[in-house]
Amino acid sequence: MSQTSDDQISAVRAFNRFYTRKLGVLDQQLLKSPFSLSEARVLYELAHREDPAAKEIGIELGLDAGYLSRIVQKFCEDGLVTRKPLQSDRRQYRLGLTAKGRQAFAKLERSSHDDVADMLAALPRGDGGRLTAAMTVIERLLGASERSQPAILRDPGPGDMGWVVQSHGALYASEYGFDSSFEALVAEIAAKFLTSFDASRERCWIADIDGAQVGSVFLVRHSDDVAKLRLLLVDPAGRGQRLGRRLVAECIAFARARGYRKITLWTQSILVAARKIYQDAGFVLVATEPHRSFGQSLVGETWEREL
């Protein structure tokens, strides 16, 4: 395992330890209530579902059936929950909160709201927005494998070019060790696209999931007959959807419709996933050249596809 991976693992574990302490999850009761974290989550699900089956809640929260059964039994004994056998399967139960249960949840909800409000109020002006934005990124990245809706492809809007530059710089530094000169090159390409954009023969696509950018690609004029594919990127949050193939297919279709006879691109031999996408899309490797760029010793490759 690489040192970078070890550092990332340590960073995530340290964050988990910090955040569980911050939320008081390690306390026997959550927010000075009589409930543990798991019990509070079960109460939340019961308050936001219409007579759910116990099995549904167990699946949603990833709780062991035996553990969930003990929580439900405790809630029943405390008068917080009603439990009725399902007509279709007498071994399964449909659950509901009693009036006492709803009062207990309402008190817990107020405490949680006030606790978070106090935490945010203690931050300097503007940091609350930064904190929630960072949380959105964490949720999007860690929930990517559970996402059902595909990315949409759209035209770039205000701020998207900045995202393209920043994302290329950060991703290639993290995954390939590229230095800031690569980010400078991306900025130059993006700036040229904005200042000399020809809508009749050039295009940029931004891939978007839930309003967040997760990918990009550019097709620009190289000559009257040749288009150039540039800045293909798929963020980790967008991977697993064959998104890179979709972006390249859009470039090919657009280039063909605009009368180009060929598409060319320049990439590096170490970009294995991208090279596979190009090869599967019908591109052919036509030239290679060792070079020293972006703080790395690389092998540049030129690929072409006839249209």
Side-chain angles (χ1 to χ4, degrees):
M1 184 175 291
S2 69
Q3 185 61 43
T4 299
S5 295
D6 287 340
D7 290 344
Q8 290 172 342
I9 291 168
S10 296
V12 170
R13 295 182 66 191
F15 175 80
N16 288 342
R17 292 192 296 271
F18 161 77
Y19 201 56
T20 50
R21 289 197 305 272
K22 190 69 177 177
L23 293 183
V25 172
L26 297 180
D27 297 339
Q28 188 172 0
Q29 281 80 35
L30 183 68
L31 299 171
K32 299 181 175 62
S33 75
F35 306 110
S36 68
L37 175 63
S38 295
E39 290 170 343
R41 286 300 312 276
V42 172
L43 274 180
Y44 181 91
E45 293 299 324
L46 288 171
H48 289 83
R49 293 171 180 258
E50 189 67 29
D51 296 329
K55 185 176 181 181
E56 294 174 20
I57 294 179
I59 293 173
E60 176 67 24
L61 299 181
L63 292 179
D64 172 77
Y67 181 40
L68 176 61
S69 179
R70 291 191 292 274
I71 291 176
V72 172
Q73 181 62 37
K74 178 178 181 294
F75 284 173
C76 288
E77 292 172 355
D78 292 341
L80 304 178
V81 167
T82 59
R83 180 170 56 182
K84 300 177 182 179
L86 291 175
Q87 293 296 326
S88 58
D89 185 350
R90 306 295 292 182
R91 296 169 300 177
Q92 297 295 325
Y93 293 91
R94 194 165 293 284
L95 305 174
L97 286 179
T98 63
K100 182 179 179 181
R102 293 195 177 278
Q103 290 176 352
F105 173 74
K107 183 177 180 180
L108 184 63
E109 185 78 349
R110 285 195 300 272
S111 296
S112 177
H113 177 277
D114 294 345
D115 191 64
V116 172
D118 291 342
M119 179 177 67
L120 293 174
L123 298 175
R125 181 183 297 273
D127 280 0
R130 293 177 58 200
L131 176 66
T132 54
M135 288 175 167
T136 299
V137 172
I138 292 172
E139 183 177 1
R140 175 167 55 86
L141 292 176
L142 295 183
S145 61
E146 303 171 3
R147 187 178 294 111
S148 58
Q149 69 270 34
I152 62 169
L153 304 186
R154 59 171 176 80
D155 293 330
D160 282 329
M161 292 301 163
W163 176 85
V164 168
V165 175
Q166 185 275 332
S167 296
H168 274 80
L171 190 65
Y172 278 77
S174 172
E175 296 191 355
Y176 303 104
F178 284 18
D179 64 20
S180 60
S181 63
F182 177 70
E183 190 169 351
L185 173 63
V186 176
E188 180 182 339
I189 294 170
K192 183 177 180 181
F193 180 84
L194 289 172
T195 56
S196 59
F197 175 57
D198 180 357
S200 66
R201 308 211 75 194
E202 297 182 321
R203 185 84 184 269
C204 167
W205 291 265
I206 299 295
D208 188 300
I209 295 178
D210 292 336
Q213 307 101 318
V214 295
S216 68
V217 74
F218 291 67
L219 191 84
V220 298
R221 179 184 178 276
H222 187 61
S223 69
D224 287 343
D225 293 330
V226 181
K228 191 167 189 177
L229 188 154
R230 311 201 78 172
L231 301 184
L232 174 65
L233 178 78
V234 178
D235 186 87
R239 293 174 184 172
Q241 295 194 16
R242 301 175 66 87
L243 182 53
R245 286 168 171 77
R246 285 182 61 196
L247 290 166
V248 171
E250 290 288 340
C251 290
I252 294 171
F254 179 85
R256 185 178 287 123
R258 293 303 187 270
Y260 288 109
R261 298 177 60 186
K262 181 190 296 184
I263 302 178
T264 186
L265 64 89
W266 183 64
T267 189
Q268 311 302 321
S269 62
I270 61 172
L271 305 183
V272 177
R275 294 174 77 255
K276 182 65 164 57
I277 292 172
Y278 301 140
Q279 187 175 25
D280 290 347
F283 284 83
V284 177
L285 178 62
V286 297
T288 62
E289 181 183 5
H291 65 104
R292 178 75 183 178
S293 302
F294 320 130
Q296 302 292 322
S297 295
L298 303 167
V299 177
E301 298 181 341
T302 300
W303 292 68
E304 295 181 350
R305 189 192 192 282
E306 300 289 341
L307 297 175

